[in-house]
Amino acid sequence: MSRVYNFSAGPAMLPEPVLMKAAEEMLDYNGSGMSVMEMSHRSKVYLSIIENAEALLRKLMHISDDYTVLFLQGGASQQFAMIPMNLLGGNRKVDFIHTGTWTKKAMTEAKLVANVHVAASSEDKNFSYIPENYTFSPDADYVHICTNNTIEGTVFTHIPDTGNIPLVADMSSNIMSEEIDVTKFGLIFAGAQKNLGPSGLTVVIVRNDLVGKHGENTPVFFRYETHAKEKSMYNTPPCYSIYIAGLVFEWMDQLGGVKAMEEINREKAQILYDFIDESEMFTSPVDPRYRSLMNIPFAAPNDELNKKFISEAGKAGLLTLAGHRSVGGMRASIYNAMPVEGVRKLVAFMKKFEMENK
Ligand SMILES: *Cc1c(COP(=O)(O)O)cnc(C)c1O
């Protein structure tokens, strides 16, 4: 068996101890005589799995009882549609801080049912920074941001103060990568496949007063209230993905929680950015003040070199380094599960490539 370092933006690497534990438990979970994939979601043994996952998530992110945690399906993209269905009030007005591809997609959905106001945008510089001057509509029902822009490689370093307007955050690519204060947010959502587990699971953390605000024509299935009342068991949840996410939470907890994760993530990103900054070949398109710890785009001086880099890196066991098609160049996604060693290997390879291709 040989495993590679996978720099994919998502689905992404999972911690090896988690995969090993899942393999061990594949045929017989905890004496049940069956795989977690084969169990009734209503069984006692499965209930303890989902309850344990929620408890660990709450512990790791310091989520109080003022918030409901939901384990849903449909990906972060379904939330782009579900959030306006559930959070719009009489004003039907949403403010966005527009920072790239994912806020654009969220706006497309919101525009179908709401008046969308762009409170700030970084489109003028190709989304290479995070705007810091915003003008929020006083009557907005909520403000939507994307805390880490997976494709562009930018991150919010200060969470905007929206006063009494609920702040909604797409944290798909940086949830649990650094400490955050949940109380600053009305709703946090994330597809699991970057930092939390396998695809198929979407985590929603919503302040209790925002549950039950849906319009009366909102389909029952798309109401947060429906899933909150049934503890994410209104219908069959993504059972196996929740189980793996629970193992990921256990792994994080043993490492020292989100604070410890953040320290490791800062170290990893620093190693890569330090090299990009000293390199005469590779450049970063992102304003250094807003560089993501998770997704790091970089490029060689021309497309021919980029292609050669991606191909040779692949042969060296460093995979999925092509940049998003809208940005080009390369992108290294170094989520929680990427070991420091993987980043060191990448930098050593970049050094060698630079020497050989001067
Ligand atoms: C990956 C990603 C999405 C889309 O997630 P799906 O689960 O595929 O719908 C949305 N927002 C951000 C920030 C992402 O990184």
Side-chain angles (χ1 to χ4, degrees):
M1 187 193 67
S2 79
R3 287 190 41 89
V4 297
Y5 290 108
N6 176 12
F7 294 89
S8 168
M13 284 182 85
L14 286 166
E16 217 163 83
V18 166
L19 295 175
M20 274 158 37
K21 181 115 196 266
E24 227 172 79
E25 294 178 334
M26 180 60 76
L27 297 182
D28 176 6
Y29 175 78
N30 204 13
S32 66
M34 54 178 107
S35 165
V36 174
M37 270 183 260
E38 303 171 299
M39 282 175 188
S40 163
H41 58 296
R42 311 264 176 217
S43 64
K44 242 193 192 156
V45 55
Y46 189 75
L47 283 183
S48 76
I49 291 175
I50 192 171
E51 281 166 7
N52 181 50
E54 179 177 338
L56 276 168
L57 179 67
R58 284 185 179 275
K59 176 185 170 194
L60 288 163
M61 289 184 70
H62 312 290
I63 303 169
S64 78
D65 289 343
D66 296 336
Y67 288 77
T68 298
V69 171
L70 301 174
F71 293 137
L72 305 179
Q73 307 194 43
S77 301
Q78 181 170 289
Q79 292 310 307
F80 296 164
M82 240 175 121
I83 291 161
M85 284 180 184
N86 283 275
L87 264 51
L88 286 180
N91 300 327
R92 308 196 77 74
K93 194 181 245 184
V94 185
D95 277 13
F96 271 82
I97 299 181
H98 182 26
T99 51
T101 313
W102 291 117
T103 49
K104 185 160 201 224
K105 284 210 167 164
M107 280 196 278
T108 301
E109 289 286 3
K111 276 179 187 164
L112 295 173
V113 289
N115 296 309
V116 167
H117 169 240
V118 177
S121 165
S122 54
E123 195 166 11
D124 59 339
K125 290 187 184 158
N126 216 9
F127 302 116
S128 59
Y129 70 105
I130 298 291
E132 300 231 30
N133 297 311
Y134 340 99
T135 38
F136 297 121
S137 317
D139 55 348
D141 290 313
Y142 63 92
V143 175
H144 180 120
I145 63 170
C146 177
T147 48
N148 183 78
N149 295 277
T150 324
I151 292 170
E152 295 80 6
T154 58
V155 67
F156 275 76
T157 49
H158 304 286
I159 298 305
D161 180 3
T162 55
N164 289 329
I165 311 170
L167 180 60
V168 169
D170 180 353
M171 292 194 188
S172 294
S173 54
N174 75 334
I175 190 166
M176 298 175 101
S177 68
E178 56 181 295
E179 290 205 294
I180 55 138
D181 178 358
V182 172
T183 65
K184 288 186 175 162
F185 300 89
L187 186 149
I188 292 167
F189 66 103
Q193 66 272 23
K194 282 130 192 181
N195 251 338
L196 305 181
S199 63
L201 165 65
T202 310
V203 172
V204 175
I205 301 160
V206 54
R207 214 172 59 212
N208 295 338
D209 62 293
L210 299 174
V211 176
K213 288 185 73 226
H214 54 269
E216 60 184 33
N217 291 326
T218 305
V220 171
F221 190 73
F222 292 123
R223 301 175 180 183
Y224 290 131
E225 186 185 69
T226 301
H227 299 279
K229 273 188 180 155
E230 301 293 335
K231 294 184 177 292
S232 305
M233 291 272 193
Y234 174 73
N235 68 327
T236 318
C239 297
Y240 198 76
S241 298
I242 292 168
Y243 156 70
I244 298 285
L247 294 183
V248 171
F249 300 155
E250 269 170 26
W251 170 79
M252 274 190 218
D253 196 32
Q254 280 161 11
L255 278 178
V258 177
K259 190 161 187 278
M261 258 355 310
E262 175 172 348
E263 279 166 24
I264 300 168
N265 287 331
R266 289 196 184 280
E267 182 191 349
K268 287 187 298 189
Q270 186 83 41
I271 292 170
L272 189 43
Y273 284 124
D274 279 352
F275 177 67
I276 291 170
D277 287 343
E278 76 178 52
S279 160
E280 281 169 20
M281 173 179 277
F282 299 104
T283 51
S284 154
V286 175
D287 182 327
R289 285 172 297 174
Y290 307 106
R291 285 170 162 181
S292 168
L293 299 181
M294 298 281 100
N295 310 97
I296 304 187
F298 58 94
N302 60 62
D303 266 352
E304 204 183 318
L305 276 176
N306 289 334
K307 272 200 195 119
K308 189 174 178 196
F309 180 91
I310 292 160
S311 146
E312 288 186 6
K315 287 177 200 147
L318 306 165
L319 263 79
T320 339
L321 279 161
H324 189 269
R325 57 190 184 279
S326 66
V327 179
M330 278 74 78
R331 171 178 51 169
S333 294
I334 52 172
Y335 298 118
N336 285 355
M338 172 62 68
V340 179
E341 188 54 27
V343 179
R344 288 197 209 283
K345 285 250 162 70
L346 172 61
V347 167
F349 177 82
M350 289 167 79
K351 276 185 186 157
K352 183 167 157 274
F353 185 87
E354 183 167 346
M355 293 268 288
E356 290 170 358
N357 293 276
K358 258 188 194 153

